[in-house]
């Protein structure tokens, strides 16, 4: 009992309380900074980003951005990891529904549909993807590498097929879906299929089913 009382005393000490308050304050500030970054991406695109702009939008000093994230690049990387469509969390949720015995076709079908819906719902991530396509900056390469690592982790979980290259098949389908989403902001339709209606996107999802059914046993 004496030891428990001593432990409670230490936990309630002014020093520990102060540390907890500082941690809470930092988390709140980090969220404000990340939220400001997201608003700038939404309203002005990637080209509107800068440490000063983010600091002003968040109502903090730019020194805090360097202290907490190491600068703009670290902040963007942290945001991408949290919000990117290929975070694996959404995919993991879909795969759990299927169960451990799911076959390659089921895993690919559900993850591709989750990918498509998630990317469509995140205009800021779409903006990052457009920027990545033409950028040769170190930051763009780092983001691409992290996506590639996540993609490989997923493919490693898909049952192997000795007759079909599931990684290449998945890559072609995923890249095509990504292109359609990115083009939907400037095109009304693609090959006559609407990019601006729920009906059009249901047709693309049905195409995922049809293609996988024809390619995979």
């Amino acid at each position: 009992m004496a030891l428990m009382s001593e432990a409670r005393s230490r936990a309630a000490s002014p020093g520990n309380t102060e540390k907890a308050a500082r941690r809470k304050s930092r988390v709140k500030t980090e969220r404000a900074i990340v939220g400001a970054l997201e608003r700038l991406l939404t309203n002005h695109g990637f080209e509107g980003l800068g440490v000063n702009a983010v600091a002003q939008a968040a109502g903090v000093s730019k020194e805090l951005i360097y202290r907490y994230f190491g600068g703009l690049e670290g902040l963007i990387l942290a945001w991408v990891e949290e919000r990117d469509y290929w975070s694996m969390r959404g995919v993991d949720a879909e795969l759990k529904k299927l169960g451990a015995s799911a076959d390659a076709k089921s895993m690919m079908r559900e993850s591709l549909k989750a990918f498509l819906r998630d990317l469509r719902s995140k205009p800021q991530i779409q903006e990052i993807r457009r920027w990545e396509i033409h950028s040769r900056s170190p930051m763009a390469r780092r983001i691409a590498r992290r996506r590639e690592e996540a993609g490989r982790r997923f493919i490693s979980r898909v049952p192997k097929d000795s007759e079909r290259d599931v990684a290449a098949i998945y890559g072609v389908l995923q890249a095509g879906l990504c292109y359609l989403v990115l083009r939907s902001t400037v095109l009304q339709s693609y090959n006559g299929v609407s990019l601006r209606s729920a009906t059009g996107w249901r047709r693309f999802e049905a195409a995922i089913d049809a293609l996988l059914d024809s390619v995979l046993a």
Side-chain angles (χ1 to χ4, degrees):
M1 291 294 292
L3 288 175
M4 292 178 64
S5 297
E6 183 179 346
R8 284 195 295 267
S9 178
R10 284 199 302 268
S13 67
N16 287 336
T17 302
E18 184 178 342
K19 287 179 181 178
R22 284 200 300 267
R23 283 195 297 270
K24 186 176 181 180
S25 177
R26 172 164 178 164
V27 169
K28 182 178 180 180
T29 301
E30 287 178 348
R31 287 176 178 170
I33 293 170
V34 171
L37 173 75
E38 190 163 304
R39 290 194 301 276
L40 287 171
L41 271 173
T42 302
N43 297 327
H44 304 290
F46 195 85
E47 300 303 323
L49 295 182
V51 172
N52 290 332
V54 174
Q56 182 176 0
V60 302
S61 68
K62 65 180 182 180
E63 286 75 16
L64 284 180
I65 296 176
Y66 286 102
R67 183 188 306 169
Y68 293 164
F69 299 97
L72 183 63
E73 179 174 336
L75 172 59
I76 292 173
L77 288 172
W79 178 81
V80 168
E81 287 184 344
E82 174 63 25
R83 289 295 304 256
D84 204 343
Y85 66 85
W86 195 243
S87 65
M88 296 301 290
R89 288 191 294 272
V91 172
D92 282 341
E94 295 302 320
L95 297 186
K96 282 182 180 179
K97 296 177 186 176
L98 294 175
S101 61
D103 58 18
K105 183 164 61 176
S106 297
M107 292 178 70
M108 293 168 70
R109 174 189 291 121
E110 295 310 313
S111 64
L112 285 168
K113 290 182 179 181
F115 161 81
L116 176 61
R117 294 164 187 166
D118 198 45
L119 183 57
R120 287 186 61 218
S121 72
K122 295 178 178 175
Q124 303 91 352
I125 291 296
Q126 295 174 31
E127 190 65 35
I128 290 285
R129 290 293 288 173
R130 290 189 193 92
W131 167 76
E132 282 181 64
I133 290 172
H134 61 77
S135 174
R136 300 191 179 204
S137 73
M139 180 166 58
R141 290 196 294 271
R142 286 181 65 184
I143 293 173
R145 281 198 301 270
R146 294 188 185 194
R147 275 209 191 88
E148 174 65 11
E149 291 167 2
R152 290 189 180 193
R153 286 198 301 274
F154 169 73
I155 290 298
S156 71
R157 298 163 61 183
V158 176
K160 301 297 183 289
D161 189 321
S162 59
E163 298 181 4
R164 300 167 184 83
D165 189 341
V166 294
I169 292 168
Y170 191 86
V172 168
L173 293 176
Q174 186 189 56
L177 294 174
C178 183
Y179 178 82
L180 290 172
V181 174
L182 298 186
R183 293 297 287 167
S184 67
T185 58
V186 294
L187 296 178
Q188 293 284 341
S189 63
Y190 194 86
N191 285 346
V193 182
S194 173
L195 296 174
R196 303 286 180 87
S197 71
T199 300
W201 289 109
R202 282 196 295 269
R203 290 177 65 184
F204 286 121
E205 289 197 16
I208 295 172
D209 293 330
L211 288 167
L212 290 176
D213 285 340
S214 64
V215 173
L216 300 178

